[in-house]
Amino acid sequence: MPFAKPKIALALGMVAMSVALAGCNTYQPAPKAFSEATIQPYTLDSGDRLRVTVFDQPGLSNTYTVDQAGYIAFPLIGQVTARGRTLQQLSGQIAQKLRQGYIRDPDVSIDVDRYRSVYIMGEVGQPGQYSYVPGMTVQNAIAVAGGFSSRANQSNADVTRKINGHVMTGRVGISDPVLAGDTIYVRERLF
């Protein structure tokens, strides 16, 4: 039985190798919804800070942050659902609620004062939470995080994104656009 131990070691090694290689295939290329999400109007979510202006109403014009539950607390009308809404939808919703006994014909405009953060992890100089800038690409985000580490795979990255309420992860090229709230993971290269 002197050959039994090497065969068991070889079998265990093969199993470990197949498990390790299976882990390399966990993420698939980005689904079609990834690229479609980049051309859709911006939808609000927790962490966005909004500048709401109600014409001729300085007491209502202010900055408001979308809370963890997806609402903004607006004077007179209370909690207003912001998560998943576009700026135009939210301004219409606020105007409609203000019309109900508060202001005759409110003119509401909303701008994003500060977008929610992007998160950059993995083989970068300084992983962490960073401010999103419209037009940002994966490469720009990595540059903000201190660039690639010496062991980084520099051709693509895994991006986790919330699309229509569903969290999806896919592998994208470094020139692909980033959306506010994305999590970017730069993998280690194999060799």
Side-chain angles (χ1 to χ4, degrees), residues 104-119:
R104 185 177 309 214
D105 190 23
D107 184 8
V108 180
S109 67
I110 302 177
D111 296 310
V112 178
D113 186 52
R114 186 187 69 220
Y115 292 91
R116 58 190 178 274
S117 302
V118 294
Y119 304 89

Side-chain angles (χ1 to χ4, degrees), residues 87-158:
L87 297 173
Q88 194 170 23
Q89 290 169 336
L90 183 60
S91 66
Q93 183 180 3
I94 291 172
Q96 177 191 11
K97 288 186 176 205
L98 287 172
R99 257 187 226 102
Q100 298 171 354
Y102 300 106
I103 301 174
R104 185 177 309 214
D105 190 23
D107 184 8
V108 180
S109 67
I110 302 177
D111 296 310
V112 178
D113 186 52
R114 186 187 69 220
Y115 292 91
R116 58 190 178 274
S117 302
V118 294
Y119 304 89
I120 306 162
M121 306 180 332
E123 295 297 325
V124 293
Q126 298 174 342
Q129 175 180 345
Y130 293 93
S131 296
Y132 170 77
V133 178
M136 184 180 260
T137 64
V138 172
Q139 188 171 23
N140 299 141
I142 292 168
V144 169
F148 291 108
S149 75
S150 59
R151 298 181 310 239
N153 175 351
Q154 298 184 17
S155 61
N156 53 40
D158 296 325

Side-chain angles (χ1 to χ4, degrees), residues 1-12:
M1 287 277 162
F3 296 108
K5 287 186 180 179
K7 286 184 181 178
I8 292 173
L10 180 62
L12 288 174

Side-chain angles (χ1 to χ4, degrees), residues 32-75:
K32 187 177 179 185
F34 262 55
S35 59
E36 291 172 356
T38 61
I39 59 173
Q40 299 299 320
Y42 184 74
T43 55
L44 301 168
D45 208 341
S46 299
D48 286 328
R49 188 170 65 196
L50 309 174
R51 188 174 39 255
V52 180
T53 306
V54 182
F55 181 72
D56 227 10
Q57 299 295 324
L60 298 177
S61 299
N62 205 345
T63 57
Y64 302 91
T65 301
V66 180
D67 65 18
Q68 287 299 96
Y71 295 93
I72 61 169
F74 201 82

